[in-house]
Amino acid sequence: MKILVAIKRVVDHSVRVRPNSQATAMDIAGAKMAINPFCEIAVEEAVRLKEQGIATEVVVVSIGADTAQEQLRAALALGADRAILVKTSADLQPLAVAHCLHKLVEREQPGLVLLGKQSIDGDNNQTGQMLAALCGYAQGTFASRLVIEGDKARVTREIDGGLQTLLLRLPAVVTTDLRLNQPRYPTLPNIMKARQKPLATMTPEELAVDVTPRVRTLKFELPPSRQAGEKVKDVEALLARLREAQLI
Ligand code: AMP
Protein backbone atom coordinates (compact mmCIF):
# COMPACT_ATOMS: atom_id res chain seq x y z
CA MET A 1 0.00 0.00 0.00
CA LYS A 2 1.27 3.44 -0.95
CA ILE A 3 0.76 6.26 1.59
CA LEU A 4 0.57 9.90 0.52
CA VAL A 5 1.40 12.37 3.31
CA ALA A 6 0.69 16.10 2.97
CA ILE A 7 3.12 18.31 4.85
CA LYS A 8 3.05 22.07 5.27
CA ARG A 9 5.92 24.48 5.87
CA VAL A 10 4.99 26.76 8.77
CA VAL A 11 6.68 29.12 11.21
CA ASP A 12 8.27 27.06 13.99
CA HIS A 13 5.96 26.69 17.00
CA SER A 14 8.50 28.36 19.30
CA VAL A 15 8.53 31.65 17.32
CA ARG A 16 6.33 34.52 18.58
CA VAL A 17 4.91 36.18 15.48
CA ARG A 18 3.47 39.70 15.24
CA PRO A 19 1.35 41.46 12.60
CA ASN A 20 3.22 43.77 10.21
CA SER A 21 2.95 47.54 10.67
CA GLN A 22 -0.15 47.80 8.40
CA ALA A 23 -1.80 44.76 10.14
CA THR A 24 -2.36 43.19 6.70
CA ALA A 25 -0.26 40.04 7.35
CA MET A 26 1.86 38.39 10.00
CA ASP A 27 5.49 39.43 9.84
CA ILE A 28 7.41 36.19 9.37
CA ALA A 29 10.45 37.56 7.53
CA GLY A 30 13.53 35.67 8.73
CA ALA A 31 11.49 33.47 11.12
CA LYS A 32 12.58 29.88 11.76
CA MET A 33 10.44 27.53 9.66
CA ALA A 34 9.54 23.88 10.28
CA ILE A 35 7.23 21.04 9.26
CA ASN A 36 3.78 21.68 10.76
CA PRO A 37 3.88 19.53 13.97
CA PHE A 38 0.71 17.56 13.07
CA CYS A 39 2.19 16.78 9.63
CA GLU A 40 5.36 15.49 11.33
CA ILE A 41 3.12 13.06 13.26
CA ALA A 42 1.55 12.01 9.93
CA VAL A 43 5.02 11.31 8.45
CA GLU A 44 6.00 9.32 11.54
CA GLU A 45 2.83 7.20 11.32
CA ALA A 46 3.40 6.47 7.63
CA VAL A 47 7.04 5.50 8.27
CA ARG A 48 5.98 3.20 11.14
CA LEU A 49 3.44 1.51 8.82
CA LYS A 50 6.24 0.96 6.32
CA GLU A 51 8.52 -0.46 9.01
CA GLN A 52 5.71 -2.88 9.97
CA GLY A 53 5.56 -4.06 6.33
CA ILE A 54 2.04 -2.63 5.86
CA ALA A 55 3.03 0.28 3.60
CA THR A 56 5.24 -0.24 0.57
CA GLU A 57 6.03 3.41 -0.23
CA VAL A 58 5.69 6.73 1.59
CA VAL A 59 5.32 9.79 -0.66
CA VAL A 60 5.40 13.25 0.95
CA VAL A 61 3.89 16.27 -0.79
CA SER A 62 3.95 19.97 -0.07
CA ILE A 63 2.29 22.83 -1.91
CA GLY A 64 3.97 26.20 -1.67
CA ALA A 65 7.17 28.10 -2.37
CA ASP A 66 10.45 26.56 -3.45
CA THR A 67 11.64 26.87 0.17
CA ALA A 68 9.24 24.02 1.13
CA GLN A 69 11.91 21.70 -0.35
CA GLU A 70 13.64 22.10 3.02
CA GLN A 71 10.67 20.50 4.85
CA LEU A 72 10.30 17.81 2.17
CA ARG A 73 13.98 16.86 2.62
CA ALA A 74 13.41 16.79 6.41
CA ALA A 75 10.50 14.36 5.86
CA LEU A 76 12.71 12.23 3.57
CA ALA A 77 15.28 12.14 6.39
CA LEU A 78 12.55 10.85 8.73
CA GLY A 79 12.01 7.89 6.39
CA ALA A 80 9.74 8.94 3.50
CA ASP A 81 10.80 7.48 0.13
CA ARG A 82 9.95 10.19 -2.36
CA ALA A 83 8.77 13.82 -2.37
CA ILE A 84 6.61 16.04 -4.57
CA LEU A 85 6.61 19.85 -4.46
CA VAL A 86 3.70 21.66 -6.10
CA LYS A 87 5.39 24.99 -6.57
CA THR A 88 3.40 28.22 -6.29
CA SER A 89 3.79 31.69 -4.83
CA ALA A 90 0.00 32.02 -4.39
CA ASP A 91 -1.57 32.84 -1.02
CA LEU A 92 -2.77 29.25 -0.52
CA GLN A 93 -6.07 28.43 1.11
CA PRO A 94 -7.38 25.00 2.16
CA LEU A 95 -9.66 24.52 -0.86
CA ALA A 96 -6.80 25.15 -3.31
CA VAL A 97 -4.54 22.78 -1.36
CA ALA A 98 -7.27 20.12 -1.30
CA HIS A 99 -7.75 20.44 -5.09
CA CYS A 100 -3.98 20.00 -5.71
CA LEU A 101 -3.91 16.98 -3.37
CA HIS A 102 -6.98 15.52 -5.09
CA LYS A 103 -5.17 15.65 -8.46
CA LEU A 104 -2.15 13.97 -6.90
CA VAL A 105 -4.36 11.26 -5.37
CA GLU A 106 -5.73 10.59 -8.88
CA ARG A 107 -2.19 10.31 -10.25
CA GLU A 108 -0.59 8.37 -7.39
CA GLN A 109 -3.54 6.17 -6.33
CA PRO A 110 -2.45 5.81 -2.68
CA GLY A 111 -4.20 3.34 -0.36
CA LEU A 112 -4.14 5.90 2.45
CA VAL A 113 -3.76 9.69 2.61
CA LEU A 114 -2.43 11.17 5.84
CA LEU A 115 -2.64 14.85 6.77
CA GLY A 116 -2.24 16.83 9.97
CA LYS A 117 -5.49 17.75 11.69
CA GLN A 118 -4.62 21.42 11.27
CA SER A 119 -1.88 23.83 10.34
CA ILE A 120 -0.59 25.81 13.31
CA ASP A 121 -0.33 29.02 11.25
CA GLY A 122 -3.87 29.36 9.84
CA ASP A 123 -5.56 26.97 12.33
CA ASN A 124 -7.94 26.09 9.49
CA ASN A 125 -8.67 22.40 10.14
CA GLN A 126 -10.28 22.10 6.69
CA THR A 127 -7.94 20.53 4.14
CA GLY A 128 -8.33 16.84 5.10
CA GLN A 129 -12.12 17.09 5.21
CA MET A 130 -12.27 18.90 1.84
CA LEU A 131 -9.89 16.36 0.27
CA ALA A 132 -12.00 13.41 1.48
CA ALA A 133 -15.09 15.02 -0.07
CA LEU A 134 -13.32 15.71 -3.40
CA CYS A 135 -12.01 12.12 -3.58
CA GLY A 136 -15.26 10.58 -2.35
CA TYR A 137 -13.25 8.78 0.36
CA ALA A 138 -14.12 7.97 3.97
CA GLN A 139 -12.43 10.23 6.50
CA GLY A 140 -11.13 9.75 10.03
CA THR A 141 -10.15 13.10 11.53
CA PHE A 142 -8.26 13.81 14.80
CA ALA A 143 -6.81 10.27 14.87
CA SER A 144 -5.08 9.19 18.09
CA ARG A 145 -4.80 5.52 16.95
CA LEU A 146 -4.63 3.98 13.49
CA VAL A 147 -4.67 0.25 12.77
CA ILE A 148 -4.79 -1.17 9.23
CA GLU A 149 -6.92 -4.31 9.05
CA GLY A 150 -6.77 -5.67 5.49
CA ASP A 151 -8.74 -3.30 3.27
CA LYS A 152 -10.01 -1.29 6.26
CA ALA A 153 -8.54 1.24 8.70
CA ARG A 154 -9.61 1.30 12.34
CA VAL A 155 -9.30 4.92 13.48
CA THR A 156 -9.73 6.12 17.05
CA ARG A 157 -10.73 9.78 17.03
CA GLU A 158 -10.31 12.34 19.79
CA ILE A 159 -13.68 14.02 20.13
CA ASP A 160 -15.19 16.32 22.77
CA GLY A 161 -15.53 14.35 25.99
CA GLY A 162 -14.07 11.05 24.76
CA LEU A 163 -12.95 8.78 21.98
CA GLN A 164 -14.79 7.47 18.92
CA THR A 165 -13.64 4.46 16.89
CA LEU A 166 -14.46 4.19 13.18
CA LEU A 167 -13.84 1.44 10.65
CA LEU A 168 -13.06 3.06 7.28
CA ARG A 169 -12.92 1.40 3.90
CA LEU A 170 -9.56 2.09 2.16
CA PRO A 171 -8.52 4.24 0.39
CA ALA A 172 -9.33 6.81 3.04
CA VAL A 173 -8.20 10.17 4.39
CA VAL A 174 -6.92 10.26 7.98
CA THR A 175 -5.86 13.41 9.85
CA THR A 176 -3.54 13.11 12.81
CA ASP A 177 -3.95 14.36 16.38
CA LEU A 178 -1.18 14.99 18.92
CA ARG A 179 -1.41 11.67 20.79
CA LEU A 180 -1.07 9.42 17.71
CA ASN A 181 2.70 9.04 18.14
CA GLN A 182 5.92 10.76 19.17
CA PRO A 183 7.88 11.65 16.02
CA ARG A 184 11.50 10.52 15.90
CA TYR A 185 14.53 12.75 15.36
CA PRO A 186 16.38 12.23 12.06
CA THR A 187 19.81 10.60 12.29
CA LEU A 188 22.80 12.16 10.53
CA PRO A 189 23.18 9.23 8.06
CA ASN A 190 19.47 9.55 7.19
CA ILE A 191 19.82 13.32 6.64
CA MET A 192 22.67 12.52 4.20
CA LYS A 193 20.65 9.76 2.48
CA ALA A 194 17.66 12.10 2.10
CA ARG A 195 19.68 14.31 -0.25
CA GLN A 196 19.74 11.48 -2.80
CA LYS A 197 16.03 10.63 -2.61
CA PRO A 198 13.80 11.76 -5.52
CA LEU A 199 12.02 15.12 -5.26
CA ALA A 200 9.73 15.96 -8.20
CA THR A 201 8.49 19.48 -8.86
CA MET A 202 5.30 20.53 -10.64
CA THR A 203 2.92 23.50 -10.69
CA PRO A 204 -0.81 23.88 -9.94
CA GLU A 205 -1.26 24.79 -13.65
CA GLU A 206 0.20 21.40 -14.66
CA LEU A 207 -2.36 19.80 -12.35
CA ALA A 208 -5.09 22.05 -13.86
CA VAL A 209 -5.88 23.56 -10.46
CA ASP A 210 -6.91 27.19 -9.95
CA VAL A 211 -5.31 28.33 -6.68
CA THR A 212 -6.81 31.84 -6.66
CA PRO A 213 -7.70 32.76 -3.05
CA ARG A 214 -11.45 32.76 -2.24
CA VAL A 215 -11.11 34.46 1.13
CA ARG A 216 -9.54 37.87 1.81
CA THR A 217 -8.10 38.61 5.24
CA LEU A 218 -9.00 42.12 6.30
CA LYS A 219 -6.89 42.56 9.41
CA PHE A 220 -4.58 40.79 11.85
CA GLU A 221 -4.34 41.81 15.51
CA LEU A 222 -2.76 40.39 18.64
CA PRO A 223 -5.01 39.39 21.54
CA PRO A 224 -5.15 42.06 24.31
CA SER A 225 -2.24 41.69 26.72
CA ARG A 226 -3.09 40.13 30.08
CA GLN A 227 -3.62 42.46 33.04
CA ALA A 228 -1.10 42.08 35.85
CA GLY A 229 -2.34 39.96 38.76
CA GLU A 230 -2.81 41.22 42.32
CA LYS A 231 -0.90 39.76 45.29
CA VAL A 232 -2.82 39.38 48.55
CA LYS A 233 -1.16 38.89 51.94
CA ASP A 234 -3.10 35.82 53.22
CA VAL A 235 -6.00 33.44 52.61
CA GLU A 236 -8.45 35.75 54.45
CA ALA A 237 -7.59 38.61 52.11
CA LEU A 238 -7.93 36.28 49.11
CA LEU A 239 -11.42 35.16 50.21
CA ALA A 240 -12.42 38.78 50.81
CA ARG A 241 -11.31 39.76 47.31
CA LEU A 242 -13.15 36.78 45.76
CA ARG A 243 -16.34 37.71 47.67
CA GLU A 244 -15.99 41.32 46.61
CA ALA A 245 -15.71 40.19 42.96
CA GLN A 246 -18.73 37.90 43.57
CA LEU A 247 -16.71 34.85 42.52
CA ILE A 248 -17.70 32.87 45.64
P1 AMP B 1 -5.37 23.15 7.48
O1 AMP B 1 -6.66 22.70 6.87
O2 AMP B 1 -4.77 24.34 6.79
O3 AMP B 1 -5.48 23.35 8.98
O4 AMP B 1 -4.30 21.99 7.24
C1 AMP B 1 -4.54 20.65 7.61
C2 AMP B 1 -3.50 19.76 6.97
O5 AMP B 1 -3.58 19.88 5.54
C3 AMP B 1 -2.05 20.08 7.29
O6 AMP B 1 -1.64 19.53 8.53
C4 AMP B 1 -1.35 19.40 6.10
O7 AMP B 1 -1.30 17.99 6.28
C5 AMP B 1 -2.31 19.72 4.96
N1 AMP B 1 -1.90 20.97 4.28
C6 AMP B 1 -2.39 22.23 4.46
N2 AMP B 1 -1.75 23.12 3.68
C7 AMP B 1 -0.81 22.41 3.00
C8 AMP B 1 0.17 22.75 2.03
N3 AMP B 1 0.35 24.00 1.60
N4 AMP B 1 0.96 21.74 1.53
C9 AMP B 1 0.79 20.47 1.95
N5 AMP B 1 -0.12 20.10 2.86
C10 AMP B 1 -0.92 21.05 3.38
Side-chain angles (χ1 to χ4, degrees):
M1 178 177 67
K2 187 194 286 187
I3 304 181
L4 190 70
V5 188
I7 64 168
K8 186 175 184 187
R9 173 183 165 93
V10 296
V11 174
D12 188 90
H13 68 93
S14 60
V15 176
R16 281 181 73 99
V17 288
R18 303 186 64 81
N20 63 15
S21 53
Q22 304 89 43
T24 52
M26 298 309 283
D27 185 4
I28 58 165
K32 182 177 170 207
M33 305 299 281
I35 302 180
N36 183 48
F38 295 107
C39 305
E40 213 171 5
I41 294 171
V43 174
E44 175 68 31
E45 196 65 16
V47 171
R48 287 187 191 188
L49 287 169
K50 192 173 169 205
E51 287 167 348
Q52 288 163 30
I54 295 167
T56 48
E57 190 184 24
V58 176
V59 183
V60 282
V61 51
S62 195
I63 300 130
D66 212 19
T67 43
Q69 285 200 32
E70 201 187 318
Q71 280 62 44
L72 287 169
R73 289 278 173 217
L76 293 170
L78 292 172
D81 299 294
R82 173 161 75 82
I84 302 172
L85 171 67
V86 181
K87 209 161 127 180
T88 173
S89 56
D91 167 23
L92 282 170
Q93 291 175 357
L95 186 60
V97 174
H99 274 294
C100 290
L101 293 174
H102 176 217
K103 293 288 180 175
L104 289 172
V105 166
E106 284 179 343
R107 284 185 181 203
E108 296 281 340
Q109 298 286 312
L112 177 67
V113 190
L114 288 176
L115 296 91
K117 73 164 180 182
Q118 82 193 53
S119 354
I120 60 163
D121 51 2
D123 268 352
N124 303 308
N125 176 17
Q126 294 173 14
T127 311
Q129 294 88 329
M130 287 175 171
L131 175 65
L134 290 170
C135 298
Y137 288 172
Q139 58 177 294
T141 52
F142 313 109
S144 61
R145 187 149 189 262
L146 169 63
V147 182
I148 305 297
E149 298 175 359
D151 61 351
K152 307 239 169 26
R154 185 177 293 267
V155 177
T156 304
R157 305 183 57 227
E158 302 220 348
I159 57 171
D160 281 351
L163 298 174
Q164 180 192 48
T165 304
L166 303 175
L167 199 58
L168 311 179
R169 193 180 306 120
L170 296 173
V173 172
V174 172
T175 76
T176 59
D177 214 323
L178 213 55
R179 272 165 283 269
L180 183 61
N181 62 49
Q182 178 72 51
R184 69 195 68 189
Y185 289 102
T187 60
L188 191 58
N190 284 347
I191 294 172
M192 304 302 281
K193 266 191 233 157
R195 295 191 190 163
Q196 309 304 324
K197 292 188 181 177
L199 192 159
T201 309
M202 56 190 77
T203 63
E205 293 72 35
E206 280 162 9
L207 295 172
V209 174
D210 173 11
V211 290
T212 314
R214 263 65 175 173
V215 179
R216 190 159 53 93
T217 302
L218 302 180
K219 192 171 139 196
F220 285 88
E221 57 190 301
L222 291 176
S225 52
R226 266 180 73 185
Q227 301 278 319
E230 185 187 329
K231 265 196 181 163
V232 287
K233 73 175 190 319
D234 55 23
V235 175
E236 275 316 308
L238 172 66
L239 291 173
R241 284 292 288 114
L242 291 173
R243 269 189 218 107
E244 205 181 296
Q246 296 188 338
L247 292 170
I248 54 171

Short mmCIF file of all heavy atoms in Angstrom, two decimals, residues 5-9 36 38-39 42 61-64 92-94 97 101 114-129 175-176, ligand 1:
data_model
loop_
_atom_site.label_atom_id
_atom_site.label_comp_id
_atom_site.label_asym_id
_atom_site.label_seq_id
_atom_site.Cartn_x
_atom_site.Cartn_y
_atom_site.Cartn_z
N VAL A 5 1.45 11.53 2.10
CA VAL A 5 1.40 12.37 3.31
C VAL A 5 1.57 13.83 2.90
O VAL A 5 2.55 14.18 2.24
CB VAL A 5 2.53 12.00 4.31
CG1 VAL A 5 2.33 12.73 5.63
CG2 VAL A 5 2.59 10.49 4.56
N ALA A 6 0.61 14.67 3.30
CA ALA A 6 0.69 16.10 2.97
C ALA A 6 1.36 16.84 4.12
O ALA A 6 0.92 16.74 5.26
CB ALA A 6 -0.71 16.65 2.74
N ILE A 7 2.43 17.57 3.80
CA ILE A 7 3.12 18.31 4.85
C ILE A 7 3.21 19.79 4.50
O ILE A 7 3.42 20.16 3.35
CB ILE A 7 4.53 17.74 5.15
CG1 ILE A 7 5.47 17.88 3.95
CG2 ILE A 7 4.47 16.30 5.60
CD1 ILE A 7 6.92 17.61 4.32
N LYS A 8 3.02 20.63 5.50
CA LYS A 8 3.05 22.07 5.27
C LYS A 8 4.24 22.71 5.96
O LYS A 8 4.58 22.33 7.09
CB LYS A 8 1.74 22.69 5.79
CG LYS A 8 1.61 24.16 5.45
CD LYS A 8 0.28 24.72 5.87
CE LYS A 8 0.17 26.18 5.43
NZ LYS A 8 -1.04 26.80 5.95
N ARG A 9 4.84 23.69 5.27
CA ARG A 9 5.92 24.48 5.87
C ARG A 9 5.27 25.63 6.64
O ARG A 9 4.47 26.40 6.07
CB ARG A 9 6.79 25.05 4.73
CG ARG A 9 7.86 26.04 5.16
CD ARG A 9 8.56 26.54 3.92
NE ARG A 9 9.35 27.73 4.14
CZ ARG A 9 10.64 27.73 4.44
NH1 ARG A 9 11.29 26.60 4.59
NH2 ARG A 9 11.29 28.87 4.61
N ASN A 36 4.91 21.54 9.84
CA ASN A 36 3.78 21.68 10.76
C ASN A 36 3.78 20.46 11.70
O ASN A 36 3.86 19.32 11.24
CB ASN A 36 2.50 21.72 9.91
CG ASN A 36 1.26 21.92 10.74
OD1 ASN A 36 1.21 22.80 11.59
ND2 ASN A 36 0.26 21.10 10.48
N PHE A 38 1.66 18.66 13.33
CA PHE A 38 0.71 17.56 13.07
C PHE A 38 1.10 16.78 11.81
O PHE A 38 0.83 15.58 11.72
CB PHE A 38 -0.72 18.11 12.95
CG PHE A 38 -1.23 18.70 14.23
CD1 PHE A 38 -1.37 20.07 14.39
CD2 PHE A 38 -1.54 17.88 15.31
CE1 PHE A 38 -1.81 20.62 15.57
CE2 PHE A 38 -1.99 18.42 16.51
CZ PHE A 38 -2.13 19.80 16.64
N CYS A 39 1.74 17.47 10.86
CA CYS A 39 2.19 16.78 9.63
C CYS A 39 3.38 15.87 9.96
O CYS A 39 3.55 14.81 9.36
CB CYS A 39 2.62 17.79 8.57
SG CYS A 39 1.35 18.99 8.16
N ALA A 42 2.06 12.78 11.08
CA ALA A 42 1.55 12.01 9.93
C ALA A 42 2.70 11.27 9.23
O ALA A 42 2.57 10.10 8.87
CB ALA A 42 0.82 12.94 8.96
N VAL A 61 4.19 15.19 0.16
CA VAL A 61 3.89 16.27 -0.79
C VAL A 61 3.68 17.57 -0.05
O VAL A 61 3.10 17.60 1.04
CB VAL A 61 2.67 15.90 -1.67
CG1 VAL A 61 1.48 15.47 -0.85
CG2 VAL A 61 2.26 17.07 -2.56
N SER A 62 4.20 18.65 -0.63
CA SER A 62 3.95 19.97 -0.07
C SER A 62 3.58 20.92 -1.20
O SER A 62 4.09 20.79 -2.32
CB SER A 62 5.18 20.49 0.68
OG SER A 62 4.81 21.59 1.48
N ILE A 63 2.69 21.84 -0.91
CA ILE A 63 2.29 22.83 -1.91
C ILE A 63 2.71 24.18 -1.37
O ILE A 63 2.34 24.54 -0.23
CB ILE A 63 0.76 22.76 -2.15
CG1 ILE A 63 0.41 21.35 -2.63
CG2 ILE A 63 0.31 23.79 -3.17
CD1 ILE A 63 -0.69 20.72 -1.89
N GLY A 64 3.49 24.91 -2.15
CA GLY A 64 3.97 26.20 -1.67
C GLY A 64 5.22 26.64 -2.40
O GLY A 64 5.50 26.18 -3.51
N LEU A 92 -2.00 30.50 -0.44
CA LEU A 92 -2.77 29.25 -0.52
C LEU A 92 -3.84 29.14 0.55
O LEU A 92 -3.59 29.45 1.71
CB LEU A 92 -1.82 28.06 -0.36
CG LEU A 92 -1.01 27.69 -1.59
CD1 LEU A 92 0.05 26.67 -1.20
CD2 LEU A 92 -1.90 27.15 -2.69
N GLN A 93 -4.99 28.67 0.15
CA GLN A 93 -6.07 28.43 1.11
C GLN A 93 -6.48 26.96 1.04
O GLN A 93 -6.19 26.28 0.05
CB GLN A 93 -7.23 29.37 0.80
CG GLN A 93 -6.79 30.79 1.15
CD GLN A 93 -7.78 31.86 0.80
OE1 GLN A 93 -8.83 31.59 0.22
NE2 GLN A 93 -7.44 33.08 1.15
N PRO A 94 -7.13 26.45 2.09
CA PRO A 94 -7.38 25.00 2.16
C PRO A 94 -8.05 24.40 0.92
O PRO A 94 -7.68 23.30 0.50
CB PRO A 94 -8.29 24.87 3.39
CG PRO A 94 -7.88 26.01 4.25
CD PRO A 94 -7.55 27.14 3.32
N VAL A 97 -5.44 23.88 -1.75
CA VAL A 97 -4.54 22.78 -1.36
C VAL A 97 -5.25 21.44 -1.58
O VAL A 97 -4.68 20.50 -2.15
CB VAL A 97 -4.09 22.93 0.12
CG1 VAL A 97 -3.27 21.73 0.57
CG2 VAL A 97 -3.30 24.21 0.31
N LEU A 101 -4.10 18.32 -3.93
CA LEU A 101 -3.91 16.98 -3.37
C LEU A 101 -4.82 15.98 -4.07
O LEU A 101 -4.42 14.84 -4.34
CB LEU A 101 -4.17 16.99 -1.85
CG LEU A 101 -3.17 17.78 -1.00
CD1 LEU A 101 -3.62 17.84 0.46
CD2 LEU A 101 -1.76 17.17 -1.08
N LEU A 114 -2.57 10.64 4.48
CA LEU A 114 -2.43 11.17 5.84
C LEU A 114 -2.15 12.67 5.79
O LEU A 114 -1.32 13.13 5.01
CB LEU A 114 -1.27 10.48 6.56
CG LEU A 114 -1.47 9.02 6.99
CD1 LEU A 114 -0.18 8.49 7.61
CD2 LEU A 114 -2.59 8.92 8.01
N LEU A 115 -2.87 13.41 6.63
CA LEU A 115 -2.64 14.85 6.77
C LEU A 115 -2.61 15.17 8.26
O LEU A 115 -3.10 14.38 9.08
CB LEU A 115 -3.78 15.67 6.15
CG LEU A 115 -4.02 15.57 4.65
CD1 LEU A 115 -5.01 14.47 4.36
CD2 LEU A 115 -4.57 16.89 4.11
N GLY A 116 -2.11 16.36 8.59
CA GLY A 116 -2.24 16.83 9.97
C GLY A 116 -3.68 17.26 10.19
O GLY A 116 -4.39 17.55 9.23
N LYS A 117 -4.10 17.31 11.46
CA LYS A 117 -5.49 17.75 11.69
C LYS A 117 -5.64 19.23 11.40
O LYS A 117 -6.70 19.68 11.02
CB LYS A 117 -5.96 17.42 13.10
CG LYS A 117 -5.36 18.29 14.20
CD LYS A 117 -6.15 18.17 15.49
CE LYS A 117 -5.53 19.04 16.57
NZ LYS A 117 -6.23 18.92 17.85
N GLN A 118 -4.55 20.00 11.60
CA GLN A 118 -4.62 21.42 11.27
C GLN A 118 -3.23 22.02 11.16
O GLN A 118 -2.28 21.46 11.70
CB GLN A 118 -5.48 22.19 12.27
CG GLN A 118 -4.83 22.62 13.54
CD GLN A 118 -5.86 23.07 14.57
OE1 GLN A 118 -6.81 22.36 14.88
NE2 GLN A 118 -5.68 24.25 15.10
N SER A 119 -3.16 23.14 10.42
CA SER A 119 -1.88 23.83 10.34
C SER A 119 -1.83 24.84 11.47
O SER A 119 -2.83 25.52 11.73
CB SER A 119 -1.70 24.57 9.01
OG SER A 119 -2.71 24.33 8.10
N ILE A 120 -0.66 24.94 12.13
CA ILE A 120 -0.59 25.81 13.31
C ILE A 120 -0.48 27.28 12.92
O ILE A 120 -0.53 28.14 13.79
CB ILE A 120 0.56 25.41 14.27
CG1 ILE A 120 1.93 25.50 13.58
CG2 ILE A 120 0.33 24.02 14.85
CD1 ILE A 120 3.08 25.51 14.58
N ASP A 121 -0.34 27.60 11.62
CA ASP A 121 -0.33 29.02 11.25
C ASP A 121 -1.76 29.53 11.03
O ASP A 121 -2.22 30.44 11.68
CB ASP A 121 0.58 29.29 10.03
CG ASP A 121 0.30 28.38 8.85
OD1 ASP A 121 -0.63 27.54 8.93
OD2 ASP A 121 1.00 28.50 7.83
N GLY A 122 -2.50 28.89 10.13
CA GLY A 122 -3.87 29.36 9.84
C GLY A 122 -4.93 28.76 10.74
O GLY A 122 -6.05 29.25 10.80
N ASP A 123 -4.58 27.67 11.48
CA ASP A 123 -5.56 26.97 12.33
C ASP A 123 -6.86 26.66 11.58
O ASP A 123 -7.96 26.77 12.14
CB ASP A 123 -5.91 27.82 13.58
CG ASP A 123 -5.00 27.48 14.76
OD1 ASP A 123 -4.24 26.51 14.66
OD2 ASP A 123 -5.08 28.20 15.76
N ASN A 124 -6.74 26.27 10.31
CA ASN A 124 -7.94 26.09 9.49
C ASN A 124 -8.73 24.82 9.82
O ASN A 124 -9.93 24.84 9.93
CB ASN A 124 -7.56 26.04 8.01
CG ASN A 124 -6.82 27.27 7.57
OD1 ASN A 124 -7.28 28.38 7.80
ND2 ASN A 124 -5.66 27.09 6.96
N ASN A 125 -8.02 23.70 9.91
CA ASN A 125 -8.67 22.40 10.14
C ASN A 125 -9.72 22.13 9.07
O ASN A 125 -10.88 21.86 9.36
CB ASN A 125 -9.24 22.37 11.57
CG ASN A 125 -10.01 21.11 11.88
OD1 ASN A 125 -9.88 20.09 11.19
ND2 ASN A 125 -10.85 21.16 12.89
N GLN A 126 -9.32 22.26 7.79
CA GLN A 126 -10.28 22.10 6.69
C GLN A 126 -9.78 21.18 5.58
O GLN A 126 -10.58 20.54 4.91
CB GLN A 126 -10.56 23.47 6.04
CG GLN A 126 -11.27 24.45 6.94
CD GLN A 126 -11.38 25.82 6.33
OE1 GLN A 126 -11.16 26.01 5.13
NE2 GLN A 126 -11.69 26.80 7.13
N THR A 127 -8.46 21.16 5.36
CA THR A 127 -7.94 20.53 4.14
C THR A 127 -8.27 19.04 4.04
O THR A 127 -8.72 18.58 2.99
CB THR A 127 -6.40 20.75 4.04
OG1 THR A 127 -6.15 22.13 4.27
CG2 THR A 127 -5.86 20.36 2.69
N GLY A 128 -8.07 18.29 5.13
CA GLY A 128 -8.33 16.84 5.10
C GLY A 128 -9.79 16.56 4.77
O GLY A 128 -10.11 15.69 3.95
N GLN A 129 -10.69 17.30 5.42
CA GLN A 129 -12.12 17.09 5.21
C GLN A 129 -12.50 17.41 3.76
O GLN A 129 -13.27 16.68 3.13
CB GLN A 129 -12.93 17.99 6.17
CG GLN A 129 -12.76 17.66 7.66
CD GLN A 129 -11.58 18.37 8.31
OE1 GLN A 129 -10.57 18.64 7.67
NE2 GLN A 129 -11.70 18.65 9.59
N THR A 175 -6.64 12.25 9.35
CA THR A 175 -5.86 13.41 9.85
C THR A 175 -5.43 13.13 11.28
O THR A 175 -6.17 12.55 12.07
CB THR A 175 -6.64 14.75 9.75
OG1 THR A 175 -7.62 14.82 10.79
CG2 THR A 175 -7.30 14.92 8.40
N THR A 176 -4.20 13.54 11.58
CA THR A 176 -3.54 13.11 12.81
C THR A 176 -3.71 14.09 13.97
O THR A 176 -3.62 15.30 13.79
CB THR A 176 -2.03 12.95 12.56
OG1 THR A 176 -1.52 14.21 12.11
CG2 THR A 176 -1.75 11.92 11.51
P1 AMP B 1 -5.37 23.15 7.48
O1 AMP B 1 -6.66 22.70 6.87
O2 AMP B 1 -4.77 24.34 6.79
O3 AMP B 1 -5.48 23.35 8.98
O4 AMP B 1 -4.30 21.99 7.24
C1 AMP B 1 -4.54 20.65 7.61
C2 AMP B 1 -3.50 19.76 6.97
O5 AMP B 1 -3.58 19.88 5.54
C3 AMP B 1 -2.05 20.08 7.29
O6 AMP B 1 -1.64 19.53 8.53
C4 AMP B 1 -1.35 19.40 6.10
O7 AMP B 1 -1.30 17.99 6.28
C5 AMP B 1 -2.31 19.72 4.96
N1 AMP B 1 -1.90 20.97 4.28
C6 AMP B 1 -2.39 22.23 4.46
N2 AMP B 1 -1.75 23.12 3.68
C7 AMP B 1 -0.81 22.41 3.00
C8 AMP B 1 0.17 22.75 2.03
N3 AMP B 1 0.35 24.00 1.60
N4 AMP B 1 0.96 21.74 1.53
C9 AMP B 1 0.79 20.47 1.95
N5 AMP B 1 -0.12 20.10 2.86
C10 AMP B 1 -0.92 21.05 3.38
#
